[in-house]
Amino acid sequence: MLFIELANFFEKIERITARSTIIDSLVNLLRKTPKDLIDKVIYLIQGEIFPSFYGIELGLGEKLTLKAVSLAYGIESYELEKMLKRFGDIGKVAEIAASKKKQVTLFKQPLTVKRVYETLEKIAKTTGEKSQDLKVRLLSGLFVDASPKEAKYLTRIILGELRLGVADMTILDALTIAYAKSIGFRDEIERAYNLCSDLGEIAKILVNEGLEGIRKYKIKPGRPIRMMLAQRVENVKEVAFKIGGKMAAEWKYDGERIQAHKIGSKVILFSRRLENITNQYPDAVEMLRKGLKSNETIVEGEIVAINPDTGEFLPFQELMHRRRKHDIEIAVKRYPINIFLFDILYKDGESLIDKPYIDRRKILEEIVEQKNGLMLSKQIITDNLEEIEKFFLEAIENGCEGLIIKDLKGTYRAGAREWLWIKLKKSYHSKMIEPVDLVVVGAFYGKGRRAKSYGALLVASYNKEKDIFETVCKVGSGFTDTDIERLPEILNKYRINKCHPRVFSKMEADVWFEPNVVIEVIGDELTLSPVHTCCYGKIQAGSGIAIRFPRFLRYRFDKDAKDATTSDEILEMYKRQLKKVE
Ligand code: ATP
């Protein structure tokens, strides 16, 4: 098969938008494709060389690609760069460069799909010191024999810029028509795709083994399963209409979803988009290797960034520090994580996805050793909506996004967004825009670097009317090492042996203080909380107002306890900033 046939196909697809015409052209192309090339052609249509979950990269950026173009067509790199600035499209630059070349047709060999693919494969596998030169030479060999149109699409594939916009589901439709004879088999083909996330593999099975092969397809550890997603409701009452009877409510952790495949002592991590992210989380790999008591298993969970001294969750953005290629060990130390597992899909040769959730959770509980930051998602099983509401507020205040409510009978529906999982997030958001001054009324012992001091402080606002102090949050972030060291010295002189009579707290602190020291605190938002007592019951029965993700700013030794921000002021701040979440 000639590469020009593919290039012509790409050109045609770029011009059409009607899905049915795209499918017709795809079917024609697939029918023309030799059996041994079918998977490769599918990957190229997707603008890839390998499925992204292999995590294999070509290692060719814009600069090296231009170098290869320059070498092939004898045009200076700086001229190509000038062209790139003008057109902003490197494919076009390669196309023009190829058309400018005085063709020495005598030795020109037409490009075949096989040769293009094998060369790209070789480029990807070339590693080591001098690999860049070799990669450029291999690529320029392809450009030498490429027509302008081929050069354009080759360049786009290499740089991941093909973007034909042919959706996976469209390719599945075309595969069904081309090889399964009747569209009635589409669901079975999609089922197999959901289990392997690899359209090339599906195409290969279809052409070689037909529908029989597709029906027999089983989960293979190492190949990601397309992830199950959740539907959304606005409030707890709606959940009851969707899932009757008892249900599992779980904290919706605000981190990065992972699907972990453990194969013997090897652990591979896939992201929500099924990319191989194993290298970003060497610590998670270690935790799972040690904590999963089964030889081969596939589990899912959420990685959450934590404050190592207090164990508190940090916002999702903190995980961005793991998105780097170098010095990952530094990021591992500086930005530690916890893992909360919430599902199991496979164990020692057996697929578990068709088992009800309640059974899967039991198996998960059996194989997970909860230690060293590896835990199970916090869960309650209930049909009591008030209990769920309370659990929801607790989740938010602890840095979660809300709850995921799960049907206990629900199977794991790979690749589907259905009502077996329902997300309940906040409908209102009250942004915190100014800091508040709060009184320290209690403290919790620290861990790690803070073992000799306190890890977090329990702080309160002043209720002027009742002349009492009402708790607003636990602050464990924002302290410098010196701030931490000074805590016992500053606070211990006010230490008392039980909660002060003028402090209203539902939380049990490790240590209590007479209300005296004032600190300035800012957070991300003000939320309702079943645990904190500031403005208790004023907005909602059984809840107070709390600060989410609070951070210490400074000591306010100039203020005494009665100068602290009042509970009424906090109520005003909450109301003023309250906005509906879209
Ligand atoms: P959102 O943008 O609201 O997070 P999403 O589109 O990323 O949504 P959803 O299907 O809406 O994904 O929500 C499910 C996500 O919630 C999962 O992908 C997972 O990352 C996360 N999550 C956190 N905790 C849990 C849990 N206990 N069970 C299932 N998913 C959880």
Side-chain angles (χ1 to χ4, degrees):
M1 187 179 199
L2 292 176
F3 187 63
I4 191 70
E5 289 181 69
L6 261 190
N8 287 336
F9 169 80
F10 295 152
E11 189 177 55
K12 190 165 160 198
I13 293 289
E14 271 183 339
R15 292 201 193 118
I16 48 181
T17 49
R19 192 163 178 270
S20 57
T21 326
I22 296 178
I23 293 179
D24 287 347
S25 314
L26 260 171
V27 171
N28 281 339
L29 181 82
L30 294 173
R31 285 193 174 135
K32 273 195 283 190
T33 306
K35 272 187 176 184
D36 62 327
L37 288 179
I38 190 74
D39 50 340
K40 302 175 175 66
V41 165
I42 298 272
Y43 299 141
L44 293 173
I45 292 170
Q46 292 180 292
E48 297 175 339
I49 320 294
F50 310 101
S52 57
F53 62 76
Y54 283 129
I56 304 175
E57 284 176 16
L58 277 185
L60 282 171
E62 218 167 59
K63 221 171 174 161
L64 291 183
T65 306
L66 282 185
K67 213 166 158 186
V69 172
S70 158
L71 200 67
Y73 305 131
I75 302 175
E76 295 290 339
S77 285
Y78 73 87
E79 277 195 41
L80 295 172
E81 270 160 32
K82 256 196 333 208
M83 271 157 75
L84 181 57
K85 269 204 189 111
R86 196 164 137 215
F87 296 114
D89 170 5
I90 192 162
K92 186 155 181 146
V93 173
E95 184 180 23
I96 296 172
S99 64
K100 278 189 177 169
K101 189 192 171 199
K102 292 169 199 53
Q103 301 283 356
V104 190
T105 38
L106 202 56
F107 300 110
K108 204 171 144 100
Q109 297 212 343
L111 282 183
T112 61
V113 172
K114 189 161 186 271
R115 178 175 156 209
V116 169
Y117 193 87
E118 283 173 357
T119 310
L120 295 180
E121 212 172 6
K122 212 164 170 184
I123 291 175
K125 287 182 180 155
T126 303
T127 51
E129 235 176 70
K130 297 222 170 88
S131 64
Q132 287 204 344
D133 271 359
L134 190 55
K135 281 176 196 272
V136 169
R137 263 186 287 132
L138 284 166
L139 180 59
S140 106
L142 289 182
F143 279 129
V144 167
D145 289 330
S147 66
K149 197 192 289 182
E150 288 172 311
K152 169 166 133 187
Y153 289 110
L154 185 58
T155 310
R156 290 195 180 156
I157 291 171
I158 290 160
L159 294 174
E161 290 176 6
L162 188 62
R163 296 191 199 111
L164 292 181
V166 183
D168 292 2
M169 293 302 139
T170 308
I171 298 180
L172 276 183
D173 282 349
L175 281 170
T176 313
I177 297 167
Y179 302 119
K181 309 290 183 278
S182 156
I183 198 78
F185 298 114
R186 170 69 164 69
D187 284 354
E188 290 180 63
I189 297 174
E190 188 172 334
R191 182 204 72 95
Y193 171 55
N194 286 335
L195 299 186
C196 75
S197 314
D198 182 345
L199 286 171
E201 173 82 0
I202 293 298
K204 214 161 69 178
I205 298 174
L206 264 174
V207 297
N208 291 316
E209 300 168 47
L211 272 173
E212 266 323 288
I214 288 291
R215 286 182 185 135
K216 278 198 315 231
Y217 192 85
K218 289 203 179 83
I219 293 173
K220 289 194 187 116
R223 281 177 179 277
I225 297 165
R226 296 186 69 233
M227 295 191 191
M228 177 165 175
L229 301 171
Q231 286 286 9
R232 179 173 184 165
V233 290
E234 290 298 317
N235 56 53
V236 177
K237 279 190 205 100
E238 272 184 67
V239 178
F241 289 113
K242 299 289 180 188
I243 305 177
K246 280 199 188 275
M247 46 199 141
E250 291 177 15
W251 281 13
K252 184 180 195 297
Y253 298 91
D254 189 13
E256 173 155 29
R257 180 163 184 180
I258 49 154
Q259 189 178 90
H261 292 226
K262 179 172 179 283
I263 311 166
S265 61
K266 189 169 158 193
V267 173
I268 311 169
L269 304 180
F270 296 109
S271 70
R272 157 89 192 269
R273 295 171 60 202
L274 308 184
E275 282 155 336
N276 187 322
I277 51 165
T278 315
N279 291 339
Q280 288 174 27
Y281 296 109
D283 41 356
V285 166
E286 222 24 56
M287 282 148 123
L288 291 160
R289 201 199 322 263
K290 289 191 180 140
L292 293 175
K293 292 178 289 175
S294 132
N295 188 35
E296 273 202 345
T297 187
I298 301 175
V299 291
E300 279 192 3
E302 194 88 351
I303 290 188
V304 186
I306 55 145
N307 175 333
D309 301 318
T310 61
E312 286 171 311
F313 300 154
L314 297 177
F316 159 76
Q317 291 81 328
E318 293 290 318
L319 289 178
M320 289 302 130
H321 298 290
R322 297 298 188 101
R323 294 258 185 285
R324 56 167 144 192
K325 291 214 164 122
H326 305 290
D327 297 330
I328 191 76
E329 310 76 33
I330 299 175
V332 165
K333 277 217 181 93
R334 210 173 282 169
Y335 307 100
I337 51 147
N338 279 173
I339 308 175
F340 294 89
L341 294 178
F342 52 71
D343 218 321
I344 180 161
L345 316 188
Y346 177 92
K347 182 179 162 278
D348 297 324
E350 193 195 350
S351 163
L352 304 176
I353 60 172
D354 294 323
K355 286 192 185 295
Y357 179 58
I358 188 150
D359 295 351
R360 298 205 302 282
R361 172 84 184 195
K362 254 185 218 129
I363 301 172
L364 187 66
E365 282 167 10
E366 279 161 21
I367 74 150
V368 177
E369 249 183 272
Q370 299 197 63
K371 58 174 186 186
N372 303 331
L374 179 68
M375 281 161 272
L376 292 175
S377 55
K378 208 167 160 131
Q379 186 195 66
I380 54 169
I381 294 184
T382 182
D383 55 2
N384 181 331
L385 299 187
E386 267 168 37
E387 210 180 323
I388 294 182
E389 183 88 45
K390 203 166 150 211
F391 196 53
F392 170 77
L393 295 176
E394 205 181 292
I396 300 277
E397 189 198 311
N398 279 284
C400 289
E401 278 189 296
L403 299 179
I404 299 267
I405 300 177
K406 298 177 180 177
D407 189 329
L408 292 171
K409 300 181 289 307
T411 55
Y412 186 94
R413 302 271 298 126
R417 190 186 287 279
E418 294 174 357
W419 293 102
L420 298 174
W421 280 14
I422 301 177
K423 60 181 161 183
L424 185 62
K425 298 211 270 191
K426 283 174 295 142
S427 347
Y428 289 93
H429 177 92
S430 179
K431 199 168 161 49
M432 194 169 180
I433 48 171
E434 49 191 318
V436 285
D437 297 321
L438 301 170
V439 189
V440 182
V441 296
F444 301 84
Y445 290 124
K447 288 191 276 186
R449 281 184 309 151
R450 299 190 188 176
K452 289 204 183 88
S453 178
Y454 298 118
L457 306 179
L458 182 63
V459 291
S461 57
Y462 178 50
N463 183 330
K464 220 172 189 169
E465 224 175 288
K466 298 189 183 159
D467 190 25
I468 58 166
F469 296 91
E470 302 174 331
T471 71
V472 183
C473 62
K474 238 170 100 176
V475 200
S477 295
F479 297 98
T480 63
D481 286 352
T482 330
D483 293 332
I484 295 285
E485 259 169 44
R486 288 182 67 200
L487 281 176
E489 171 202 325
I490 294 171
L491 292 168
N492 284 356
K493 50 182 164 244
Y494 304 110
R495 196 164 158 171
I496 45 183
N497 57 11
K498 58 178 198 285
C499 182
H500 192 275
R502 276 172 48 236
V503 170
F504 176 24
S505 175
K506 286 177 165 276
M507 225 176 203
E508 252 325 295
D510 293 336
V511 174
W512 294 103
F513 302 112
E514 196 180 296
N516 210 306
V517 177
V518 177
I519 62 172
E520 193 176 271
V521 173
I522 183 97
D524 282 5
E525 65 177 309
L526 293 165
T527 59
L528 293 181
S529 152
V531 184
H532 289 291
T533 56
C534 168
C535 307
Y536 200 72
K538 285 208 171 161
I539 296 173
Q540 186 174 302
S543 320
I545 298 180
I547 297 176
R548 190 163 179 244
F549 294 130
R551 295 178 299 282
F552 167 88
L553 293 177
R554 58 188 172 127
Y555 292 105
R556 293 298 307 257
F557 295 123
D558 54 325
K559 292 201 164 184
D560 78 41
K562 286 191 178 169
D563 299 325
T565 305
T566 63
S567 300
D568 279 348
E569 281 171 320
I570 290 184
L571 182 64
E572 273 315 302
M573 284 167 83
Y574 176 82
K575 286 186 185 158
R576 217 178 322 143
Q577 289 301 319
L578 200 62
K579 296 219 168 63
K580 190 148 176 55
V581 176
E582 289 309 316

